Amino acid sequence: MKKILILINNMNGGGAEKLLLQFVCFLHEYTDYEIHLLLTYHTGIYLEDIPDYVNKRFVFSKKDYASEERIKNKAKEISRKYIYDIYDCAIAFLEGSSTKLLAYADIPDNSKYAWVHIDLDKRHYTESLYKNIQEERECYRHFNKIAAVSKGVYDAFLKVFGIEFSSKLQIVYNPIDMGDIRKKAQESCIIYSKFTICSIGRLVTQKGFDRLIQSAAQLKDMGYDFNLIILGDGARKDELFALINDHKLENNVFLYGFIKNPYPYLAASNLYVCSSRTEGYCLAVCEAIALGKPVISTQCTGVPEVFELCNCGTIVSNNTEGITTGIKKCLDDYEYIRVLQNRSEIGRLKLTYKENLLAMLKFLNIET
């Protein structure tokens, strides 16, 4: 039986981790590969969702300064300790530690593949794991192919690492399981008493929820009455709660934490807002479109591609003022938000699932 190895940093509640779960299920159903998963850190809310047929191992029990320093300085030693088998295909499913460990693995480079989910020009968060940019560039040279999840991610990668990678870099769009999303949205009946804005994501600086809450404060000061619900968990939770309290928004803004099935909340809302500072390919935006929701988003990588494909959505300036202006227009103009909704309902039909999963297999030279 053929073997595939997938590496990922952790199983936190991000889009890459959710995509990995979809991908391994698809692999199990459509191929005869034995699936192995190596986590850098044995952490994350999706750990319990890893199927039993996946052979799971991990390097560190948690992320801390010592573990990051070991990855930075002892990557080859760690790699050869944990990647010792023969694999027909090996995938670093996320930039960062998984990419570095696979690059140093003592297996043929022509079986190695890397995924990049973020605009590394605007948010080069991986550089702390490497001694310098030259080492990171050299690691990527060890991969047969590199997948960028959007055109913006593709362009940013070449800008950071050089045009030499254009021969192995390819755009591979994330699959969106529209049927599953709509089915899960019906599992609970949620009714809001007033206009409700929804946003989903990890509570980290990248997602811009601080700006979204500041926009809520501005809109409340203008006299608007609404709900803002934010679904997700993360390092900035306490800061965001403090921001809500400082602006006396306790009756308007609600942090619901991580919810495994966010779709009933999203389906019941009137508007979806992406307030991110940076993105690669925002899955939550696609999920909102799949449910026919009006969507506004800051100008960030990947979102314009989605909006252009689906002929829906509105892009606003990537700052607090842009977010405020976009939401205000929706609150002021019922006809405008109705048009946005109609466009999403039509545009969702252009979101593909099985086709994009098959494209992932083709990229990896895996036959079904």
Side-chain angles (χ1 to χ4, degrees):
M1 178 179 286
K2 292 184 177 180
K3 292 182 180 180
I4 187 168
L5 173 67
I6 304 172
L7 294 86
I8 195 163
N9 306 344
N10 53 53
M11 290 302 290
N12 289 345
E17 295 84 2
K18 185 184 291 187
L19 174 60
L20 182 143
L21 292 173
Q22 293 177 351
F23 182 58
V24 296
C25 291
F26 191 75
L27 274 174
H28 181 67
E29 182 176 358
Y30 288 96
T31 76
D32 60 355
Y33 276 73
E34 184 178 290
I35 305 169
H36 295 255
L37 177 64
L38 179 62
L39 302 167
T40 307
Y41 305 106
H42 193 245
T43 58
I45 48 188
Y46 285 133
L47 278 175
E48 63 185 40
D49 296 311
I50 299 171
D52 291 339
Y53 53 76
V54 174
N55 299 283
K56 181 188 72 176
R57 295 182 294 119
F58 63 91
V59 179
F60 301 106
S61 59
K62 64 179 181 179
K63 182 177 180 179
D64 53 24
Y65 177 79
S67 61
E68 288 205 300
E69 282 297 294
R70 285 200 63 197
I71 292 169
K72 183 174 183 178
N73 299 303
K74 302 287 185 179
K76 184 178 292 188
E77 176 185 307
I78 297 170
S79 177
R80 294 186 176 178
K81 178 179 178 181
Y82 288 92
I83 307 174
Y84 47 77
D85 211 338
I86 297 173
Y87 299 98
D88 299 277
C89 180
I91 310 165
F93 211 71
L94 192 64
E95 65 281 344
S97 61
S98 56
T99 298
K100 185 169 185 179
L101 293 178
L102 184 55
Y104 280 111
D106 192 16
I107 59 178
D109 286 353
N110 62 8
S111 66
K112 296 177 183 177
Y113 299 83
W115 244 261
V116 183
H117 293 264
I118 193 71
D119 182 332
L120 287 171
D121 179 43
K122 291 180 178 156
R123 185 169 176 258
H124 197 172
Y125 76 97
T126 60
E127 61 184 343
S128 63
L129 294 173
Y130 296 87
K131 295 170 185 176
N132 49 52
I133 186 69
Q134 289 77 19
E135 185 193 16
E136 189 170 7
R137 184 182 291 114
E138 184 59 34
C139 280
Y140 276 112
R141 290 194 181 111
H142 283 283
F143 289 90
N144 182 28
K145 292 181 187 177
I146 304 166
V149 299
S150 69
K151 178 64 163 57
V153 170
Y154 177 99
D155 292 339
F157 189 93
L158 294 182
K159 183 176 179 181
V160 172
F161 296 110
I163 197 68
E164 67 174 275
F165 287 98
S166 58
S167 61
K168 60 174 63 182
L169 190 64
Q170 183 176 321
I171 299 170
V172 182
Y173 287 114
N174 291 336
I176 307 298
D177 192 345
M178 189 170 62
D180 185 61
I181 291 168
R182 294 175 71 83
K183 179 181 177 181
K184 288 179 177 177
Q186 298 172 2
E187 290 181 359
S188 301
C189 181
I190 295 173
I191 299 174
Y192 298 118
S193 60
K194 52 188 172 184
F195 190 97
T196 298
I197 303 157
C198 180
S199 197
I200 302 172
R202 290 171 293 116
L203 305 186
V204 294
T205 302
Q206 174 199 345
K207 299 299 181 180
F209 292 132
D210 55 322
R211 305 187 303 180
L212 184 54
I213 292 170
Q214 288 163 0
S215 290
Q218 293 175 1
L219 290 163
K220 184 184 177 185
D221 289 344
M222 294 176 194
Y224 293 100
D225 188 25
F226 56 89
N227 292 328
L228 167 61
I229 62 168
I230 299 173
L231 310 180
D233 202 357
R236 295 205 65 185
K237 178 173 66 176
D238 291 344
E239 295 174 46
L240 296 178
F241 270 122
L243 195 59
I244 291 168
N245 292 332
D246 289 345
H247 288 290
K248 297 180 172 54
L249 291 168
E250 297 90 342
N251 295 322
N252 297 93
V253 181
F254 306 93
L255 302 183
Y256 283 174
F258 174 79
I259 295 176
K260 187 163 288 188
N261 180 11
Y263 305 122
Y265 298 86
L266 177 55
S269 66
N270 301 98
L271 174 68
Y272 185 82
V273 175
C274 170
S275 56
S276 294
R277 291 177 166 88
T278 62
E279 281 291 346
Y281 187 87
C282 186
L283 284 177
V285 164
C286 295
E287 291 167 345
I289 294 170
L291 290 173
K293 295 287 105 178
V295 181
I296 65 172
S297 173
T298 50
Q299 174 70 50
C300 54
T301 304
V303 174
E305 291 173 59
V306 175
F307 284 176
E308 183 178 355
L309 170 68
C310 299
N311 190 30
C312 66
T314 295
I315 299 287
V316 298
S317 299
N318 200 324
N319 50 44
T320 303
E321 291 69 30
I323 297 167
T324 303
T325 300
I327 297 174
K328 182 177 182 297
K329 185 168 178 60
C330 292
L331 291 168
D332 285 338
D333 190 344
Y334 173 79
E335 180 62 22
Y336 174 69
I337 199 167
R338 189 183 69 81
V339 168
L340 287 182
Q341 181 171 347
N342 287 342
R343 287 179 178 174
S344 285
E345 288 175 348
I346 296 170
R348 66 183 174 82
L349 300 175
K350 297 183 180 180
L351 295 172
T352 58
Y353 180 60
K354 188 172 180 179
E355 292 87 344
N356 282 4
L357 282 167
L358 289 170
M360 290 173 70
L361 295 187
K362 184 178 180 181
F363 171 79
L364 297 165
N365 297 318
I366 293 176
E367 295 182 359
T368 57

